[in-house]
């Protein structure tokens, strides 16, 4: 049988409880009452909406600051979009005309402001090669979202399963093995995991394709081409989130209501599912939401290794072309996805804290 979540409490000797006399019982029943829970304020939904609005404004400002840094950083790189996309044999006059056409003769902050003012209407600007940025990312970005979404789902499943399994046997060999393995795995970069998976599962075993071929719709030609990229993204993030789940469950297991459930003799799995896991969910969801940004960043590397048709190749060519609008467009889309995931984590945290009041 599994050990209890807090074994130190289970070994404490029972303290005999003195039965109250009938007079004492009558006095207690007449003069004392159980304090009623505080009523839920009718203004709480308004406060929650205001807090969420403030968070959205804060994160929108951070995203704008990040996009300004993207413009400035690309402008500091040697060369510019006009020279990077020029044809062989173009004269200096042709390059000057191209720079004027791309707006490179204007200050970088002015170009940045013009680009930012188009974002509310969904205009991501024009790339250095004269193609709207929205058209360039319309196909690859959903493929990246599919890759990252599958990796996030698999990460959550593995983290919850291993974290809960370790929490049922605290300080056991299994608990130490899971925690140690998670620490070792989270230190591995995505490209190292990707190369190892290709070497073992593709080149040596021959079970899975080593590269991804695009189908007629622009996505992967078959589902098995998703397995290795998803695993390469999942393994490091699963290790990190296992540690988060285990720590959140351990903190929640010290709460008085959990200790009371242990003393009542409830089965460990019931204590975990009904008393520990609900209180640990805000920290777990926050960890998974934070993993979204890391997964999208790691997807760029993984897509390059597996030739996956996502924004990785688009971003690589944009950096080579010094294509600031395209780089900023990909950054803005990724920022929106990360903001939505963090907002979901905030809503879960608010709902769980409200349920405890």
């Amino acid at each position: 049988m599994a050990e209890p979540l807090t074994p130190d409490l289970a070994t404490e000797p029972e303290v005999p409880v003195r039965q109250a006399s009938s007079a004492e019982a009558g006095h207690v029943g007449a003069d004392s009452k159980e304090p009623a829970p505080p009523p839920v304020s009718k203004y709480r939904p308004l406060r929650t909406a205001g807090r969420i609005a403030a968070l959205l404004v804060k994160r929108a400002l951070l995203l704008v600051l990040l996009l300004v840094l993207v413009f400035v950083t690309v402008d500091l790189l040697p060369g510019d979009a006009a020279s990077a996309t020029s044809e062989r044999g173009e004269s200096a006059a042709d390059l000057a005309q191209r720079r004027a056409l791309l707006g490179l003769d204007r200050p970088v902050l002015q170009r940045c402001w013009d680009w930012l003012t188009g974002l509310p209407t969904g205009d991501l600007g024009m790339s250095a090669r004269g193609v709207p940025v929205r058209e360039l990312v319309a196909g690859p970005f959903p493929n990246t979202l599919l890759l990252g979404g599958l990796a996030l789902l698999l990460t959550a499943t593995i983290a919850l399963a291993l974290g809960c399994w370790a929490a049922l046997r605290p300080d056991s060999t299994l608990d130490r093995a899971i925690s140690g393995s998670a620490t070792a795995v989270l230190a591995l970069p995505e490209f190292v995991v990707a190369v190892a998976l290709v070497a073992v599962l593709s080149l040596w075993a021959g079970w899975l394709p080593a590269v991804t071929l695009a189908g007629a719709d622009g996505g992967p030609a078959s589902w098995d081409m998703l397995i290795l990229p998803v695993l390469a993204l999942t393994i490091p993030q699963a290790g990190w989130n296992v540690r988060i789940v285990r720590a959140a469950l351990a903190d929640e297991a010290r709460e008085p209501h959990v200790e009371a459930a242990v003393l009542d003799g409830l089965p460990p799995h019931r204590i975990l599912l009904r008393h520990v896991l609900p209180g640990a969910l805000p920290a777990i969801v926050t960890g998974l939401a934070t993993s979204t940004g890391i997964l999208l960043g790691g997807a760029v590397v993984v897509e390059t290794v597996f030739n996956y048709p996502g924004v990785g190749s688009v971003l690589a060519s944009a950096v080579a072309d010094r294509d600031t609008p395209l780089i900023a467009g990909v950054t803005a889309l990724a920022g929106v996805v990360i903001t939505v995931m963090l907002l979901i984590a905030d809503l879960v945290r608010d709902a769980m804290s409200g349920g405890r009041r």
Side-chain angles (χ1 to χ4, degrees), residues 284-299:
I284 295 173
V285 174
T286 301
L288 290 172
T290 306
S291 294
T292 304
I294 304 175
L295 287 172
L296 290 178

Side-chain angles (χ1 to χ4, degrees), residues 66-89:
L66 175 62
L67 294 173
V68 172
L69 289 176
V70 168
F71 268 79
V72 173
T73 302
V74 176
D75 190 70
L76 293 176
L77 294 175
D80 56 18
S83 59
T85 58
S86 63
E87 300 292 336
R88 180 176 298 179

Side-chain angles (χ1 to χ4, degrees), residues 70-159:
V70 168
F71 268 79
V72 173
T73 302
V74 176
D75 190 70
L76 293 176
L77 294 175
D80 56 18
S83 59
T85 58
S86 63
E87 300 292 336
R88 180 176 298 179
E90 286 191 2
S91 63
D94 294 331
L95 287 177
Q97 183 179 2
R98 183 187 292 273
R99 287 190 179 93
L101 182 63
L102 295 176
L104 299 178
D105 54 343
R106 296 181 297 159
V108 60
L109 292 181
Q110 183 180 352
R111 288 185 279 121
C112 179
W113 173 254
D114 292 342
W115 185 84
L116 288 173
T117 55
L119 285 183
T121 63
D123 183 13
L124 297 178
M126 193 72 67
S127 71
R129 297 187 180 275
V131 182
V133 173
R134 187 165 51 185
E135 294 182 8
L136 292 175
V137 299
F141 194 71
N143 292 336
T144 298
L145 287 182
L146 173 64
L147 182 62
L150 292 175
L152 183 63
L153 180 62
L154 186 58
T155 297
T157 303
I158 294 174

Side-chain angles (χ1 to χ4, degrees), residues 200-256:
V200 175
L201 298 181
S202 181
L203 300 181
W204 181 67
W207 293 341
L208 295 169
V211 295
T212 305
L213 300 179
D217 58 350
S222 60
W223 65 269
D224 59 342
M225 295 180 179
L226 282 168
I227 297 178
L228 289 184
V230 169
L231 287 178
L233 282 176
T234 299
I235 290 175
Q237 287 307 302
W240 186 58
N241 281 278
V242 165
R243 297 300 302 268
I244 291 179
V245 172
R246 183 66 187 93
L249 294 177
D251 290 341
E252 188 66 19
R254 301 186 185 98
E255 293 293 322

Side-chain angles (χ1 to χ4, degrees), residues 189-202:
E190 286 85 357
F191 75 90
V192 173
V193 178
V195 172
L197 289 174
V198 170
V200 175
L201 298 181
S202 181

